[in-house]
Amino acid sequence: MEWLSHILQINWLAVLLAFVSSMVIGFLWYMPAVFGRRWMEAIARTEKELKALDGGAAIWVPMMVASALSSILLAVLAGALGLDTPLAAGFFAFVAAVVFRAGGHVIHNGFAGRAATVTLIDSGHDILALTVAGVIIGALP
């Protein structure tokens, strides 16, 4: 549990910027002109159907909490492992995203029978967002 002691040394500005970058990347990534239209086709939903989903905060709050916790844990691990450059922290985040985030999509979407397109789009987003977060955290140790 020694790694948890690094929470006291987190650069909270870096964590905030990493979190914001993840939100911006997600917003851009899932725009209809980028991957949103293909993603909606792959999940067999229309933009109108998605906008009509009843959930509001029930959808956005957990997603934002998960993204914030990802940035915090990334900062803790970067500190514990001495990843204090953009390249080192970004590469670590990239590997973690490929193994844990993309791997999770492959497992869950595979068993759910979802189209490979969903896995590729969601995995690509997670890999990019976490890698950029790592670069930011490494740049501001």
Short mmCIF file of all heavy atoms in Angstrom, two decimals, residues 41-104:
data_model
loop_
_atom_site.label_atom_id
_atom_site.label_comp_id
_atom_site.label_asym_id
_atom_site.label_seq_id
_atom_site.Cartn_x
_atom_site.Cartn_y
_atom_site.Cartn_z
N GLU A 41 -24.37 3.61 -35.61
CA GLU A 41 -24.77 2.52 -36.50
C GLU A 41 -24.40 1.17 -35.88
O GLU A 41 -25.18 0.22 -35.94
CB GLU A 41 -24.09 2.66 -37.86
CG GLU A 41 -24.62 3.80 -38.70
CD GLU A 41 -23.76 4.09 -39.93
OE1 GLU A 41 -22.79 3.33 -40.21
OE2 GLU A 41 -24.04 5.09 -40.61
N ALA A 42 -23.23 1.10 -35.28
CA ALA A 42 -22.75 -0.16 -34.70
C ALA A 42 -23.57 -0.59 -33.49
O ALA A 42 -23.71 -1.78 -33.22
CB ALA A 42 -21.27 -0.05 -34.33
N ILE A 43 -24.12 0.38 -32.75
CA ILE A 43 -24.96 0.03 -31.59
C ILE A 43 -26.44 0.04 -31.96
O ILE A 43 -27.30 -0.15 -31.10
CB ILE A 43 -24.70 0.93 -30.37
CG1 ILE A 43 -25.09 2.39 -30.64
CG2 ILE A 43 -23.25 0.80 -29.90
CD1 ILE A 43 -25.15 3.25 -29.38
N ALA A 44 -26.72 0.27 -33.25
CA ALA A 44 -28.08 0.27 -33.78
C ALA A 44 -28.98 1.28 -33.08
O ALA A 44 -30.11 1.00 -32.70
CB ALA A 44 -28.69 -1.13 -33.72
N ARG A 45 -28.46 2.49 -32.92
CA ARG A 45 -29.23 3.60 -32.33
C ARG A 45 -29.09 4.82 -33.22
O ARG A 45 -28.07 5.00 -33.88
CB ARG A 45 -28.71 3.97 -30.94
CG ARG A 45 -28.89 2.94 -29.86
CD ARG A 45 -30.34 2.93 -29.37
NE ARG A 45 -30.53 2.04 -28.26
CZ ARG A 45 -30.75 2.42 -27.02
NH1 ARG A 45 -30.80 3.69 -26.71
NH2 ARG A 45 -30.92 1.52 -26.07
N THR A 46 -30.10 5.67 -33.18
CA THR A 46 -30.03 6.93 -33.91
C THR A 46 -29.67 8.05 -32.92
O THR A 46 -29.82 7.89 -31.71
CB THR A 46 -31.37 7.27 -34.58
OG1 THR A 46 -32.35 7.50 -33.55
CG2 THR A 46 -31.82 6.15 -35.51
N GLU A 47 -29.26 9.16 -33.48
CA GLU A 47 -28.95 10.32 -32.64
C GLU A 47 -30.19 10.75 -31.87
O GLU A 47 -30.12 11.09 -30.69
CB GLU A 47 -28.42 11.46 -33.50
CG GLU A 47 -27.80 12.58 -32.71
CD GLU A 47 -27.07 13.59 -33.59
OE1 GLU A 47 -26.93 13.37 -34.80
OE2 GLU A 47 -26.64 14.62 -33.04
N LYS A 48 -31.34 10.69 -32.53
CA LYS A 48 -32.60 11.06 -31.89
C LYS A 48 -32.89 10.13 -30.71
O LYS A 48 -33.31 10.58 -29.64
CB LYS A 48 -33.73 11.01 -32.91
CG LYS A 48 -35.06 11.48 -32.38
CD LYS A 48 -36.12 11.45 -33.47
CE LYS A 48 -37.47 11.88 -32.91
NZ LYS A 48 -38.51 11.87 -33.94
N GLU A 49 -32.68 8.84 -30.88
CA GLU A 49 -32.91 7.88 -29.80
C GLU A 49 -31.97 8.13 -28.62
O GLU A 49 -32.39 8.08 -27.46
CB GLU A 49 -32.69 6.44 -30.29
CG GLU A 49 -33.77 5.93 -31.21
CD GLU A 49 -33.43 4.58 -31.80
OE1 GLU A 49 -32.25 4.34 -32.13
OE2 GLU A 49 -34.36 3.77 -31.93
N LEU A 50 -30.73 8.43 -28.91
CA LEU A 50 -29.77 8.68 -27.84
C LEU A 50 -30.10 9.95 -27.08
O LEU A 50 -29.97 10.01 -25.85
CB LEU A 50 -28.34 8.74 -28.39
CG LEU A 50 -27.79 7.41 -28.91
CD1 LEU A 50 -26.44 7.61 -29.58
CD2 LEU A 50 -27.68 6.39 -27.78
N LYS A 51 -30.54 10.97 -27.80
CA LYS A 51 -30.91 12.22 -27.13
C LYS A 51 -32.17 12.06 -26.29
O LYS A 51 -32.37 12.79 -25.32
CB LYS A 51 -31.10 13.33 -28.15
CG LYS A 51 -29.79 13.84 -28.72
CD LYS A 51 -30.00 14.97 -29.71
CE LYS A 51 -28.66 15.46 -30.22
NZ LYS A 51 -28.79 16.51 -31.22
N ALA A 52 -33.00 11.10 -26.64
CA ALA A 52 -34.25 10.88 -25.92
C ALA A 52 -34.07 9.98 -24.69
O ALA A 52 -35.01 9.82 -23.92
CB ALA A 52 -35.29 10.26 -26.85
N LEU A 53 -32.89 9.42 -24.51
CA LEU A 53 -32.66 8.55 -23.36
C LEU A 53 -32.91 9.32 -22.07
O LEU A 53 -32.43 10.44 -21.90
CB LEU A 53 -31.23 8.01 -23.34
CG LEU A 53 -30.90 6.92 -24.34
CD1 LEU A 53 -29.41 6.58 -24.23
CD2 LEU A 53 -31.74 5.69 -24.11
N ASP A 54 -33.65 8.71 -21.20
CA ASP A 54 -33.92 9.33 -19.91
C ASP A 54 -32.78 8.95 -18.97
O ASP A 54 -32.52 7.78 -18.75
CB ASP A 54 -35.26 8.82 -19.37
CG ASP A 54 -35.77 9.65 -18.21
OD1 ASP A 54 -35.37 10.83 -18.12
OD2 ASP A 54 -36.56 9.12 -17.42
N GLY A 55 -32.08 9.89 -18.46
CA GLY A 55 -30.98 9.56 -17.57
C GLY A 55 -30.26 10.79 -17.08
O GLY A 55 -29.94 10.88 -15.91
N GLY A 56 -30.00 11.74 -17.95
CA GLY A 56 -29.33 12.97 -17.57
C GLY A 56 -28.14 12.75 -16.69
O GLY A 56 -27.14 12.15 -17.08
N ALA A 57 -28.24 13.20 -15.44
CA ALA A 57 -27.14 13.09 -14.48
C ALA A 57 -26.79 11.64 -14.20
O ALA A 57 -25.63 11.33 -13.93
CB ALA A 57 -27.50 13.80 -13.19
N ALA A 58 -27.75 10.74 -14.31
CA ALA A 58 -27.48 9.33 -14.05
C ALA A 58 -26.52 8.75 -15.08
O ALA A 58 -25.87 7.74 -14.83
CB ALA A 58 -28.78 8.53 -14.05
N ILE A 59 -26.43 9.38 -16.23
CA ILE A 59 -25.49 8.95 -17.26
C ILE A 59 -24.17 9.71 -17.11
O ILE A 59 -23.10 9.13 -17.11
CB ILE A 59 -26.08 9.19 -18.67
CG1 ILE A 59 -27.29 8.27 -18.88
CG2 ILE A 59 -25.02 8.98 -19.74
CD1 ILE A 59 -28.06 8.56 -20.15
N TRP A 60 -24.25 11.03 -16.96
CA TRP A 60 -23.05 11.87 -16.98
C TRP A 60 -22.24 11.82 -15.70
O TRP A 60 -21.01 11.81 -15.75
CB TRP A 60 -23.45 13.32 -17.30
CG TRP A 60 -23.79 13.46 -18.74
CD1 TRP A 60 -25.03 13.40 -19.30
CD2 TRP A 60 -22.88 13.63 -19.82
NE1 TRP A 60 -24.95 13.53 -20.67
CE2 TRP A 60 -23.64 13.68 -21.01
CE3 TRP A 60 -21.50 13.76 -19.90
CZ2 TRP A 60 -23.05 13.84 -22.27
CZ3 TRP A 60 -20.92 13.92 -21.15
CH2 TRP A 60 -21.70 13.96 -22.32
N VAL A 61 -22.88 11.80 -14.56
CA VAL A 61 -22.12 11.83 -13.29
C VAL A 61 -21.22 10.61 -13.11
O VAL A 61 -20.03 10.76 -12.85
CB VAL A 61 -23.06 12.06 -12.08
CG1 VAL A 61 -22.32 11.87 -10.77
CG2 VAL A 61 -23.67 13.47 -12.16
N PRO A 62 -21.74 9.37 -13.28
CA PRO A 62 -20.83 8.22 -13.13
C PRO A 62 -19.68 8.23 -14.14
O PRO A 62 -18.55 7.88 -13.82
CB PRO A 62 -21.74 7.01 -13.36
CG PRO A 62 -23.11 7.50 -13.10
CD PRO A 62 -23.11 8.95 -13.49
N MET A 63 -19.97 8.66 -15.38
CA MET A 63 -18.93 8.73 -16.40
C MET A 63 -17.86 9.74 -16.01
O MET A 63 -16.66 9.48 -16.14
CB MET A 63 -19.57 9.10 -17.74
CG MET A 63 -18.60 9.17 -18.90
SD MET A 63 -17.86 10.80 -19.19
CE MET A 63 -19.26 11.86 -19.31
N MET A 64 -18.27 10.87 -15.49
CA MET A 64 -17.30 11.90 -15.09
C MET A 64 -16.51 11.47 -13.85
O MET A 64 -15.31 11.72 -13.76
CB MET A 64 -18.02 13.23 -14.86
CG MET A 64 -18.56 13.82 -16.15
SD MET A 64 -19.53 15.31 -15.91
CE MET A 64 -18.22 16.50 -15.65
N VAL A 65 -17.16 10.81 -12.92
CA VAL A 65 -16.46 10.30 -11.73
C VAL A 65 -15.42 9.26 -12.15
O VAL A 65 -14.27 9.29 -11.69
CB VAL A 65 -17.46 9.71 -10.70
CG1 VAL A 65 -16.74 8.93 -9.62
CG2 VAL A 65 -18.29 10.82 -10.09
N ALA A 66 -15.80 8.35 -13.04
CA ALA A 66 -14.86 7.33 -13.51
C ALA A 66 -13.66 7.98 -14.21
O ALA A 66 -12.51 7.57 -14.01
CB ALA A 66 -15.56 6.35 -14.45
N SER A 67 -13.91 8.99 -15.01
CA SER A 67 -12.83 9.68 -15.70
C SER A 67 -11.92 10.42 -14.72
O SER A 67 -10.69 10.37 -14.85
CB SER A 67 -13.41 10.67 -16.72
OG SER A 67 -12.39 11.30 -17.44
N ALA A 68 -12.50 11.06 -13.74
CA ALA A 68 -11.71 11.76 -12.72
C ALA A 68 -10.86 10.77 -11.92
O ALA A 68 -9.67 11.00 -11.67
CB ALA A 68 -12.62 12.56 -11.78
N LEU A 69 -11.46 9.64 -11.53
CA LEU A 69 -10.71 8.63 -10.79
C LEU A 69 -9.58 8.04 -11.62
O LEU A 69 -8.50 7.73 -11.09
CB LEU A 69 -11.65 7.53 -10.28
CG LEU A 69 -12.61 7.95 -9.18
CD1 LEU A 69 -13.59 6.82 -8.86
CD2 LEU A 69 -11.85 8.38 -7.92
N SER A 70 -9.80 7.89 -12.92
CA SER A 70 -8.73 7.41 -13.80
C SER A 70 -7.56 8.37 -13.79
O SER A 70 -6.40 7.95 -13.71
CB SER A 70 -9.25 7.24 -15.23
OG SER A 70 -10.18 6.20 -15.32
N SER A 71 -7.84 9.67 -13.86
CA SER A 71 -6.77 10.67 -13.84
C SER A 71 -6.05 10.69 -12.50
O SER A 71 -4.82 10.81 -12.44
CB SER A 71 -7.33 12.06 -14.15
OG SER A 71 -7.81 12.11 -15.48
N ILE A 72 -6.80 10.55 -11.41
CA ILE A 72 -6.19 10.53 -10.08
C ILE A 72 -5.30 9.30 -9.93
O ILE A 72 -4.14 9.41 -9.49
CB ILE A 72 -7.26 10.58 -8.98
CG1 ILE A 72 -7.96 11.94 -8.99
CG2 ILE A 72 -6.65 10.31 -7.60
CD1 ILE A 72 -9.24 12.01 -8.16
N LEU A 73 -5.81 8.12 -10.28
CA LEU A 73 -5.00 6.91 -10.14
C LEU A 73 -3.78 6.96 -11.04
O LEU A 73 -2.69 6.54 -10.64
CB LEU A 73 -5.83 5.66 -10.45
CG LEU A 73 -5.07 4.34 -10.31
CD1 LEU A 73 -4.53 4.15 -8.89
CD2 LEU A 73 -5.95 3.17 -10.71
N LEU A 74 -3.93 7.49 -12.23
CA LEU A 74 -2.79 7.63 -13.13
C LEU A 74 -1.73 8.53 -12.51
O LEU A 74 -0.53 8.22 -12.57
CB LEU A 74 -3.26 8.19 -14.48
CG LEU A 74 -2.22 8.26 -15.59
CD1 LEU A 74 -1.58 6.90 -15.84
CD2 LEU A 74 -2.87 8.78 -16.86
N ALA A 75 -2.14 9.62 -11.88
CA ALA A 75 -1.18 10.51 -11.21
C ALA A 75 -0.50 9.81 -10.04
O ALA A 75 0.71 9.97 -9.82
CB ALA A 75 -1.89 11.78 -10.74
N VAL A 76 -1.25 9.05 -9.26
CA VAL A 76 -0.67 8.30 -8.13
C VAL A 76 0.36 7.30 -8.64
O VAL A 76 1.48 7.22 -8.12
CB VAL A 76 -1.77 7.59 -7.31
CG1 VAL A 76 -1.17 6.60 -6.33
CG2 VAL A 76 -2.63 8.62 -6.58
N LEU A 77 -0.01 6.53 -9.65
CA LEU A 77 0.91 5.52 -10.18
C LEU A 77 2.13 6.15 -10.83
O LEU A 77 3.24 5.64 -10.68
CB LEU A 77 0.18 4.61 -11.17
CG LEU A 77 -0.90 3.71 -10.56
CD1 LEU A 77 -1.65 2.96 -11.64
CD2 LEU A 77 -0.29 2.76 -9.54
N ALA A 78 1.93 7.25 -11.56
CA ALA A 78 3.07 7.93 -12.17
C ALA A 78 4.04 8.41 -11.09
O ALA A 78 5.26 8.28 -11.24
CB ALA A 78 2.60 9.11 -13.03
N GLY A 79 3.50 8.95 -10.00
CA GLY A 79 4.35 9.38 -8.89
C GLY A 79 5.07 8.22 -8.24
O GLY A 79 6.28 8.28 -7.97
N ALA A 80 4.36 7.13 -8.00
CA ALA A 80 4.95 5.96 -7.33
C ALA A 80 6.03 5.31 -8.19
O ALA A 80 7.01 4.78 -7.66
CB ALA A 80 3.86 4.95 -7.00
N LEU A 81 5.85 5.36 -9.51
CA LEU A 81 6.81 4.73 -10.41
C LEU A 81 7.88 5.69 -10.91
O LEU A 81 8.75 5.30 -11.68
CB LEU A 81 6.06 4.13 -11.61
CG LEU A 81 5.09 2.98 -11.28
CD1 LEU A 81 4.26 2.62 -12.49
CD2 LEU A 81 5.86 1.78 -10.75
N GLY A 82 7.80 6.96 -10.48
CA GLY A 82 8.79 7.95 -10.89
C GLY A 82 8.68 8.33 -12.36
O GLY A 82 9.67 8.68 -13.00
N LEU A 83 7.47 8.30 -12.89
CA LEU A 83 7.23 8.66 -14.29
C LEU A 83 7.01 10.16 -14.39
O LEU A 83 5.89 10.63 -14.41
CB LEU A 83 6.02 7.88 -14.83
CG LEU A 83 6.07 6.37 -14.66
CD1 LEU A 83 4.74 5.74 -15.06
CD2 LEU A 83 7.22 5.78 -15.44
N ASP A 84 8.11 10.90 -14.44
CA ASP A 84 8.01 12.35 -14.34
C ASP A 84 8.35 13.08 -15.63
O ASP A 84 8.77 14.24 -15.62
CB ASP A 84 8.88 12.86 -13.19
CG ASP A 84 10.32 12.43 -13.32
OD1 ASP A 84 10.66 11.73 -14.30
OD2 ASP A 84 11.12 12.78 -12.44
N THR A 85 8.17 12.41 -16.76
CA THR A 85 8.30 13.07 -18.06
C THR A 85 7.05 12.76 -18.87
O THR A 85 6.40 11.72 -18.64
CB THR A 85 9.54 12.60 -18.85
OG1 THR A 85 9.34 11.23 -19.24
CG2 THR A 85 10.81 12.75 -18.03
N PRO A 86 6.72 13.60 -19.84
CA PRO A 86 5.53 13.33 -20.66
C PRO A 86 5.64 11.99 -21.39
O PRO A 86 4.65 11.26 -21.48
CB PRO A 86 5.50 14.50 -21.64
CG PRO A 86 6.25 15.59 -20.97
CD PRO A 86 7.30 14.92 -20.14
N LEU A 87 6.83 11.67 -21.89
CA LEU A 87 7.00 10.42 -22.63
C LEU A 87 6.82 9.21 -21.72
O LEU A 87 6.10 8.26 -22.07
CB LEU A 87 8.38 10.37 -23.29
CG LEU A 87 8.66 9.13 -24.14
CD1 LEU A 87 7.66 9.02 -25.30
CD2 LEU A 87 10.08 9.15 -24.67
N ALA A 88 7.43 9.23 -20.55
CA ALA A 88 7.34 8.09 -19.63
C ALA A 88 5.92 7.87 -19.14
O ALA A 88 5.40 6.75 -19.18
CB ALA A 88 8.29 8.30 -18.44
N ALA A 89 5.27 8.93 -18.68
CA ALA A 89 3.91 8.80 -18.16
C ALA A 89 2.92 8.51 -19.29
O ALA A 89 1.98 7.73 -19.11
CB ALA A 89 3.50 10.05 -17.39
N GLY A 90 3.14 9.13 -20.45
CA GLY A 90 2.26 8.88 -21.59
C GLY A 90 2.36 7.44 -22.08
O GLY A 90 1.34 6.80 -22.38
N PHE A 91 3.58 6.89 -22.13
CA PHE A 91 3.74 5.52 -22.57
C PHE A 91 3.13 4.54 -21.56
O PHE A 91 2.46 3.58 -21.94
CB PHE A 91 5.22 5.18 -22.81
CG PHE A 91 5.43 3.79 -23.34
CD1 PHE A 91 5.01 3.46 -24.63
CD2 PHE A 91 6.00 2.81 -22.55
CE1 PHE A 91 5.17 2.17 -25.12
CE2 PHE A 91 6.16 1.52 -23.03
CZ PHE A 91 5.76 1.20 -24.32
N PHE A 92 3.34 4.82 -20.28
CA PHE A 92 2.72 3.98 -19.24
C PHE A 92 1.20 4.00 -19.38
O PHE A 92 0.54 2.97 -19.33
CB PHE A 92 3.14 4.45 -17.85
CG PHE A 92 2.43 3.72 -16.75
CD1 PHE A 92 2.86 2.46 -16.35
CD2 PHE A 92 1.33 4.27 -16.11
CE1 PHE A 92 2.20 1.76 -15.34
CE2 PHE A 92 0.67 3.58 -15.11
CZ PHE A 92 1.10 2.32 -14.71
N ALA A 93 0.64 5.18 -19.57
CA ALA A 93 -0.81 5.32 -19.71
C ALA A 93 -1.31 4.59 -20.96
O ALA A 93 -2.36 3.94 -20.94
CB ALA A 93 -1.20 6.80 -19.76
N PHE A 94 -0.54 4.68 -22.04
CA PHE A 94 -0.89 3.98 -23.28
C PHE A 94 -0.97 2.47 -23.03
O PHE A 94 -1.94 1.81 -23.41
CB PHE A 94 0.14 4.29 -24.37
CG PHE A 94 -0.01 3.44 -25.60
CD1 PHE A 94 -0.98 3.75 -26.55
CD2 PHE A 94 0.81 2.34 -25.82
CE1 PHE A 94 -1.13 2.96 -27.69
CE2 PHE A 94 0.67 1.55 -26.95
CZ PHE A 94 -0.30 1.86 -27.89
N VAL A 95 0.07 1.92 -22.40
CA VAL A 95 0.10 0.48 -22.12
C VAL A 95 -1.06 0.08 -21.21
O VAL A 95 -1.76 -0.91 -21.45
CB VAL A 95 1.45 0.05 -21.53
CG1 VAL A 95 1.42 -1.39 -21.03
CG2 VAL A 95 2.57 0.24 -22.56
N ALA A 96 -1.29 0.87 -20.16
CA ALA A 96 -2.39 0.58 -19.25
C ALA A 96 -3.73 0.63 -19.98
O ALA A 96 -4.60 -0.22 -19.76
CB ALA A 96 -2.39 1.57 -18.08
N ALA A 97 -3.90 1.59 -20.87
CA ALA A 97 -5.15 1.71 -21.62
C ALA A 97 -5.35 0.53 -22.55
O ALA A 97 -6.46 -0.01 -22.65
CB ALA A 97 -5.17 3.02 -22.41
N VAL A 98 -4.29 0.10 -23.23
CA VAL A 98 -4.41 -1.04 -24.14
C VAL A 98 -4.77 -2.29 -23.36
O VAL A 98 -5.68 -3.04 -23.73
CB VAL A 98 -3.11 -1.24 -24.95
CG1 VAL A 98 -3.12 -2.59 -25.68
CG2 VAL A 98 -2.92 -0.11 -25.94
N VAL A 99 -4.07 -2.52 -22.25
CA VAL A 99 -4.28 -3.75 -21.48
C VAL A 99 -5.62 -3.74 -20.75
O VAL A 99 -6.42 -4.68 -20.87
CB VAL A 99 -3.13 -3.98 -20.48
CG1 VAL A 99 -3.43 -5.14 -19.54
CG2 VAL A 99 -1.82 -4.21 -21.23
N PHE A 100 -5.89 -2.69 -19.98
CA PHE A 100 -7.06 -2.69 -19.12
C PHE A 100 -8.32 -2.16 -19.79
O PHE A 100 -9.40 -2.75 -19.67
CB PHE A 100 -6.79 -1.92 -17.83
CG PHE A 100 -5.73 -2.55 -16.99
CD1 PHE A 100 -4.48 -1.96 -16.85
CD2 PHE A 100 -5.97 -3.76 -16.35
CE1 PHE A 100 -3.49 -2.56 -16.08
CE2 PHE A 100 -4.98 -4.37 -15.58
CZ PHE A 100 -3.74 -3.76 -15.45
N ARG A 101 -8.23 -1.02 -20.46
CA ARG A 101 -9.43 -0.42 -21.05
C ARG A 101 -9.84 -1.14 -22.33
O ARG A 101 -10.97 -1.60 -22.46
CB ARG A 101 -9.23 1.07 -21.30
CG ARG A 101 -8.84 1.88 -20.06
CD ARG A 101 -9.96 2.02 -19.04
NE ARG A 101 -11.04 2.84 -19.48
CZ ARG A 101 -11.16 4.14 -19.27
NH1 ARG A 101 -10.23 4.80 -18.62
NH2 ARG A 101 -12.19 4.80 -19.71
N ALA A 102 -8.91 -1.23 -23.30
CA ALA A 102 -9.24 -1.91 -24.55
C ALA A 102 -9.50 -3.40 -24.29
O ALA A 102 -10.44 -3.97 -24.85
CB ALA A 102 -8.13 -1.73 -25.58
N GLY A 103 -8.71 -3.97 -23.40
CA GLY A 103 -8.93 -5.38 -23.06
C GLY A 103 -10.31 -5.61 -22.48
O GLY A 103 -10.98 -6.60 -22.80
N GLY A 104 -10.77 -4.70 -21.65
CA GLY A 104 -12.12 -4.81 -21.09
C GLY A 104 -13.19 -4.72 -22.17
O GLY A 104 -14.17 -5.47 -22.15
#
